[in-house]
Amino acid sequence: MIEIYSFFAMFALQILALSVVFPARFVRYTRAKALEYPAEVLAQVYPGVDPLEATEKLLMRFRIAHRVIAVSGLALLGWMAANAPPLTGMKMMIFPILFLLLQMLPMVFLTVTGLRQIATLRAASLERKRKATLQPRGLFDLISPLRAAVEVAIYFAFVAFVLYLVHVAANPIPASLGYPLIGAATAGLSLQAAWIYWRLHGRKIPLESPADRMSTTGMQAKHSVYGTTSTVVFMSVVILLPRMGLQDWLPFALSTFLVLVALQFCASVTLPPRSHTVS
Amino acid sequence: MEITIDIDSPLPQFEQLIEQIKAAVTSGALKPGDSLPSIRQLANDLELNNKTVAKAYQLLTRDSIIETKGYRGTYVHPKAKTNCKFNLQEWTLRKLSETVSELREAGVTDSEIRNAFTGALNGPPEK
């Protein structure tokens, strides 16, 4: 039973991290960012609209959505606790995954809204004086070569480990499990690389200063390294636990991984000093 | 080192770029051997066409203020500071003025000089 209670504790942490802590940090961050945008520029793009009021409305909906999700998460936790004996092992794993997708929904909605605003600002071509730094940007300005090398080494070690288990090990894992795991790790790493490349060399986000761009991209790069590492470690644990006869710990392992992802989300939001926030 | 492009300025954008890079070299903000951003990076940051930045870089390379080292990138030329002091337009005007004076002394009319100049610009004279 200890593995089930450990899983419940981790699931409660998942609810707390992604539906309580993350929204609070994100709201504070967005408010501070909204104050940085020049009011006269926004008035040109959105005539007759108070941008700060509109941002507050949006953030209010975001918080309400997260509160509803947090309450439904607690209800789900209660339901799982009541049905724990029949729901064990792999059957239990579907709930934290589905709940994570639910927790991501408000952020997806905000991202779509943000992308639409970027497109509007870009189309308006508001910046009459455009600034740039005369310094080349490269990956190693953001993360150390050692960190990047460690990430790549971890990826190749994982691929070698999975190939060993599929083709060489005495008790091999099916290729239908091994290759999708390699594919998932490769896709994750490639997506992160593409995202960092785009942030480094792609078009800038309107009204974003060069210093802001470097700091946010640097943080994203750092977190993507942690993300890839934790994903690869988690996938290795998923392979190893059943081989060690500990398949009942899989939901706990999954939930721990999701909590790590949630904590990364929280850490990726740089909070401004408290004096910058609007009460 | 930050540069600013004013899109409402009557000065062409590539010239604004050239002037600011030259100013950075003259003031010492950019030193010989310093690396410069790629054409793509600068064009994206300034929301300009790649060709505009490429033209500025091409002219700066011609004047030996910057140099391109293949895939390694673009760097400030070792003699950039000295070369910045050289005004190509002024030099061209002085050279042409000297030639025009010589031709006038030889009795060539302004109209003949103009036609010859156009011919010289369009290609070598036919023999």
Side-chain angles (χ1 to χ4, degrees), chain A residues 27-32 35 271-279:
Chain A
V27 164
R28 224 176 112 195
Y29 168 81
T30 311
R31 274 180 182 157
L35 285 174
L271 286 183
R274 282 205 176 269
S275 56
H276 280 204
T277 54
V278 177
S279 60

Side-chain angles (χ1 to χ4, degrees), chain A residues 219-254:
Chain A
M219 204 164 46
Q220 285 161 356
K222 204 170 76 180
H223 284 285
S224 70
V225 171
Y226 297 147
T228 306
T229 309
S230 54
T231 306
V232 164
V233 169
F234 167 68
M235 287 197 284
S236 307
V237 169
V238 166
I239 297 171
L240 285 176
L241 282 179
R243 294 173 75 85
M244 295 159 74
L246 297 169
Q247 58 273 19
D248 287 346
W249 283 89
L250 278 172
F252 170 72
L254 172 70

Side-chain angles (χ1 to χ4, degrees), chain A residues 90-124:
Chain A
M90 298 294 273
K91 284 179 194 165
M92 197 76 99
M93 284 178 77
I94 193 75
F95 295 109
I97 295 173
L98 288 178
F99 188 67
L100 179 80
L101 294 177
L102 185 67
Q103 284 180 303
M104 288 292 172
L105 270 183
M107 200 57 213
V108 170
F109 173 74
L110 268 195
T111 306
V112 171
T113 311
L115 288 175
R116 280 167 61 189
Q117 280 184 350
I118 287 172
T120 310
L121 286 169
R122 205 166 262 163

Side-chain angles (χ1 to χ4, degrees), chain A residues 182-239:
Chain A
I182 291 175
T186 309
L189 196 68
S190 310
L191 277 175
Q192 281 168 3
W195 169 255
I196 292 168
Y197 183 84
W198 180 76
R199 287 292 286 144
L200 273 174
H201 304 294
R203 289 177 73 186
K204 72 166 202 154
I205 294 170
L207 306 174
E208 187 186 38
S209 71
D212 266 358
R213 179 180 186 151
M214 281 307 276
S215 70
T216 50
T217 311
M219 204 164 46
Q220 285 161 356
K222 204 170 76 180
H223 284 285
S224 70
V225 171
Y226 297 147
T228 306
T229 309
S230 54
T231 306
V232 164
V233 169
F234 167 68
M235 287 197 284
S236 307
V237 169
V238 166
I239 297 171

Side-chain angles (χ1 to χ4, degrees), chain A residues 122 125 127-138 197 200-204 206-207 210-211 213, chain B residues 1-8 20-21 24 30 35-38 40-42 44-48 57:
Chain A
R122 205 166 262 163
S125 186
E127 287 175 283
R128 312 309 291 175
K129 286 189 178 174
R130 298 166 182 174
K131 289 184 176 170
T133 51
L134 278 179
Q135 272 130 20
R137 281 192 299 266
Y197 183 84
L200 273 174
H201 304 294
R203 289 177 73 186
K204 72 166 202 154
L207 306 174
R213 179 180 186 151
Chain B
M1 169 65 205
E2 207 169 66
I3 54 165
T4 307
I5 296 294
D6 184 352
I7 56 168
D8 295 324
Q20 289 188 54
I21 291 173
L30 281 178
S35 56
L36 288 167
S38 66
R40 199 173 159 214
Q41 180 190 319
L42 205 52
N44 279 325
D45 285 2
L46 295 168
E47 294 173 74
L48 298 176
Y57 271 28

Side-chain angles (χ1 to χ4, degrees), chain B residues 50-62:
Chain B
N50 282 359
K51 285 178 184 170
T52 306
V53 180
K55 187 175 178 182
Y57 271 28
Q58 200 182 358
L59 292 174
L60 286 165
T61 307
R62 182 204 62 188

Side-chain angles (χ1 to χ4, degrees), chain A residues 142-152 218 221-223 225-226:
Chain A
L142 306 172
I143 52 170
S144 70
L146 179 70
R147 196 175 274 181
V150 167
E151 183 179 11
V152 173
K222 204 170 76 180
H223 284 285
V225 171
Y226 297 147

